[in-house]
Amino acid sequence: MKYSFAALLCLLAPFLSMAAPECEVCVKVMDDIKATMTKEQSRKKPEIEKAMGAYCADAESKLSARERKICYYIDPIKRDVAQPFSLGMDSLKLCQRITKSNPEICTVKFPVKTDNMEKKDISKLRVKQLKQILADRGVECKGCLEKEDFVKRVQETEHLSTDEF
C-alpha cells in the first residue's frame, strides 16, 4: 500500500509542476530589486526600502502595468517586506509571506502570450485562460458554450492583443 502511494506520487509529479507559476509578477519584482543591490546592501533594511522605492519610482518609464501594481501593493508594507528580504529569503517564499498582509499580491499574473500561436497551441489552453485573454482584450464572448467557441473568438480578436494592459 505504501509503495503504491509513492508510485502514484512519482507519476503525478510532472503534472503538478506544470501549474502556473505562483506569484510570478511579485517574484520578478523582488528578483529585479535584488539585482540592483549589492550583497552588503541586501542585509540592511533601510537600504532595501530605499532600493524598493527607487525601483518603483522608475515605474512610469520601464515597468509593465502588472509590475506597477505590485509596487502599489508593497509600498505601504515596505518594512514587512524588508525584514525577510534582509535575511536572504527566497523571492517566492517572500511573496507568499507578504501575501498574508495583502492577498492580492499573488493574484497578479502576467498575460498569456498569444502572438503567433497556432490554433493547435491555443486549443491547448484552459477555458479559464481563454476567458482571461478575451477579458484582457475587452471582448465578450456571448453565446460561447464550448471550448472551441472560445478558441475561435481568441483567434478572431488576435488584432486586439497587446503586450501592455
Side-chain angles (χ1 to χ4, degrees):
M1 184 70 158
K2 292 178 189 176
Y3 296 116
S4 62
F5 183 70
L8 180 65
L9 282 177
C10 290
L11 290 173
L12 291 177
F15 297 108
L16 296 174
S17 65
M18 288 177 12
E22 188 178 356
C23 305
E24 60 186 340
V25 180
C26 178
V27 169
K28 182 192 180 303
V29 169
M30 293 301 152
D31 286 340
D32 290 348
I33 292 170
K34 278 183 185 177
T36 64
M37 302 169 58
T38 65
K39 191 168 186 170
E40 185 178 305
Q41 288 175 326
S42 68
R43 301 288 180 224
K44 299 177 183 172
K45 293 178 205 169
E47 294 292 326
I48 296 168
E49 291 176 28
K50 236 187 265 183
M52 280 189 241
Y55 179 83
C56 292
D58 241 3
E60 287 74 38
S61 62
K62 64 176 182 169
L63 299 180
S64 71
R66 286 166 170 70
E67 291 166 332
R68 286 194 301 268
K69 187 179 257 189
I70 292 295
C71 283
Y72 174 78
Y73 289 149
I74 65 171
D75 188 49
I77 57 172
K78 280 183 188 176
R79 297 250 163 147
D80 296 337
V81 175
Q83 171 60 32
F85 200 104
S86 68
L87 299 173
M89 186 177 279
D90 179 48
S91 297
L92 177 60
K93 291 216 184 268
L94 174 66
C95 290
Q96 289 170 339
R97 179 176 283 184
I98 62 176
T99 296
K100 294 174 186 170
S101 300
N102 188 345
E104 284 96 24
I105 289 175
C106 279
T107 61
V108 180
K109 306 264 186 235
F110 285 117
V112 176
K113 301 281 185 197
T114 58
D115 298 339
N116 302 324
M117 285 183 82
E118 295 181 23
K119 183 179 179 186
K120 64 179 183 176
D121 295 331
I122 293 175
S123 64
K124 290 180 183 177
L125 297 174
R126 294 176 180 258
V127 174
K128 183 177 181 179
Q129 291 172 313
L130 295 170
K131 286 181 180 179
Q132 185 61 46
I133 291 168
L134 292 173
D136 289 342
R137 293 179 182 174
V139 176
E140 289 185 28
C141 194
K142 292 188 178 187
C144 295
L145 299 174
E146 300 292 325
K147 181 177 180 176
E148 198 59 39
D149 299 332
F150 288 102
V151 171
K152 183 178 175 189
R153 190 71 174 138
V154 166
Q155 288 177 321
E156 290 171 354
T157 60
E158 186 74 37
H159 65 284
L160 298 174
S161 68
T162 59
D163 289 336
E164 189 71 30
F165 295 107

